[in-house]
Structure formats: structure tokens, C-alpha cells
Amino acid sequence: MSIVIPVLNEAGQLPAKLHALQGLRDRCQLLLVDGGSHDDSPEMAKPLVDKVILSSRGRATQMNAGALQADAEILLFLHADTRLPENGIDLISQAIAEGFHWGRFDVAFDTPNPIFKLIAFMMNQRSRLTGIATGDQALFMTLPAFAAVGGFPQIALMEDIAVSEKLKKLGKPCCLKAKVLTSARRWQQYGLFKTILLMWWLRLAYFFGADPEDLAMRYYRRR
């Protein structure tokens, strides 16, 4: 399995996140794709991954660049601030062996705040109902599935939703109940309810055909 990790200026968080993956290196290829960090992220990562790939900025662009250099038949796209469950690799392998082409995990946040438990529950339920996965849920897919949909669409935002729509045409996702643990820091930093409303608005606008480039400009400007 090849694990593709897109990063941008994550030096403060990166060592702890990559150290948590070291036990998988005998089974997985670790590919870190840096989108032009201004900190020491690439140098810091070199001894902790199999390959550091330099790419243009943008999660879709970075994840595609990592997938193109992957050696394995299964791809796992893992955000730098997301941790896998202990048996995550086994669960993915089992899902692929059962015939699934792609899938994702349930998500939980790294905070005991009850509101984040509710947010995670709603995210997981929405994903099950719609068959749409988000990047925070650690998307995985076979290499043939990735090739069949042409990788992640080269858009500035909502690339996870867009690729999910394409992957659904190949088959239903495997919605693993095991939880990845993702950081709540950005939600807390920019305001919980402001972030919830912003994400709802962005998804609704995208659903009705808004330009992802325009949505990305508004998203980053408001943050």
C-alpha cells in the first residue's frame, strides 16, 4: 500500500504525525508531497518517509503527484493532521479483498468537546447516506480505480467530493466504522460555528454549480 500525504507548512505537527506511521514502513510506502512549504517540512520529513515529492500547491495536484510515484496497488490519501486507527491498514486490505474499489473511515476529532462528537457523527452519517467521502476520512482506492476516474479533478476546492462522485460510478464505497482521528485545531482557530456555516455554504454552492476556484478564494479569504 502507498500512503500519500499532502502537506503545506506543517513543520510544527509533522514529526509526531510521521512517527506514528513508522511501524507501517515494512508494509507501506510513505510518500510525502510538499506543496511549496516555507518552513522545514520537506527536510524534516526526509528520514521519516520513503520519498519526498515537491509539487505545486493544491491538495488535488499534490495527491495526484504522489499517486503517480506510488509503487503499490492500493492508494491511501492521508492528511498530515489525521491519524489512522491501529488496524487501519488491515481493514483497508480486507475491504479491497472483498471487492470494494474504494472507501473511507469514519472520523473522530482529537478533542473531548461534545459538540465535536456531534459534528463527527453527522459527517459520518451524511457520508453513508450520500456515498461521498471527505479528505478527513482518509480516502483509499485501488490504483486501477484511481486511473479509471483520472485521479483527483484539478480544482482548488471540493476535490474529495468531486472524486467521490466519479468513484461511485465504479461501485459503492466501503464505509469503515473504525475511526481516524483528525485535528480540530482549524475549527477551533477560526471559530466553530463560523466554520460549520462556511462549510455548509461552500458545499451547497458547489452542488448548485459554483466555480471551485471562486469558492476557494472565498474560503481562504474568510479563514
Side-chain angles (χ1 to χ4, degrees):
M1 191 175 303
S2 293
I3 303 177
V4 179
I5 309 164
V7 301
L8 181 67
N9 297 322
E10 290 283 353
Q13 308 286 330
L14 207 50
K17 305 302 182 182
L18 292 180
H19 277 296
L21 297 173
Q22 295 309 291
L24 302 177
R25 294 188 70 178
D26 60 335
R27 306 172 59 192
C28 300
Q29 178 191 31
L30 301 186
L31 301 170
L32 183 129
V33 189
D34 187 84
S37 293
H38 300 301
D39 58 17
D40 295 327
S41 292
E43 290 299 319
M44 193 175 293
K46 279 184 178 178
L48 299 173
V49 298
D50 296 293
K51 189 180 294 186
V52 172
I53 301 163
L54 302 182
S55 163
S56 300
R57 179 175 179 173
R59 274 209 173 116
T61 299
Q62 291 172 243
M63 291 188 290
N64 286 339
L68 288 175
Q69 297 199 38
D71 294 334
E73 287 296 308
I74 303 174
L75 302 172
L76 168 62
F77 297 95
L78 186 67
H79 289 185
D81 57 2
T82 300
R83 291 199 180 191
L84 292 171
E86 187 172 338
N87 60 340
I89 299 302
D90 292 328
L91 292 173
I92 293 172
S93 298
Q94 182 179 345
I96 299 301
E98 290 174 357
F100 286 97
H101 299 291
W102 70 292
R104 91 311 179 263
F105 291 85
D106 275 1
V107 68
F109 289 98
D110 61 351
T111 172
N113 188 329
I115 191 64
F116 282 98
K117 292 183 179 181
L118 176 60
I119 292 171
F121 174 79
M122 296 301 293
M123 288 173 62
N124 296 331
Q125 291 302 109
R126 181 190 64 213
S127 178
R128 277 192 171 79
L129 289 172
T130 63
I132 299 295
T134 66
D136 289 332
Q137 292 175 301
L139 267 164
F140 60 87
M141 64 193 76
T142 64
L143 190 58
F146 178 86
V149 300
F152 288 90
Q154 296 285 353
I155 54 179
L157 204 66
M158 305 293 172
E159 75 286 339
D160 46 4
I161 294 175
V163 81
S164 293
E165 291 286 4
K166 290 186 174 185
L167 287 165
K168 282 170 63 177
K169 296 177 182 178
L170 302 179
K172 294 181 179 179
C174 179
C175 297
L176 294 171
K177 292 183 179 179
K179 293 180 173 62
V180 292
L181 190 68
T182 195
S183 174
R185 61 192 169 106
R186 288 190 174 91
W187 296 70
Q188 295 167 326
Q189 180 179 356
Y190 299 111
L192 175 59
F193 292 105
K194 285 183 178 180
T195 302
I196 292 173
L197 291 174
L198 175 60
M199 295 308 297
W200 281 355
W201 179 83
L202 289 171
R203 289 177 186 277
L204 188 63
Y206 177 76
F207 177 78
F208 283 107
D211 183 356
E213 294 288 340
D214 181 55
L215 294 179
M217 290 177 61
R218 298 187 185 194
Y219 173 65
Y220 291 112
R221 184 168 66 243
R222 292 189 185 189
R223 284 177 54 183

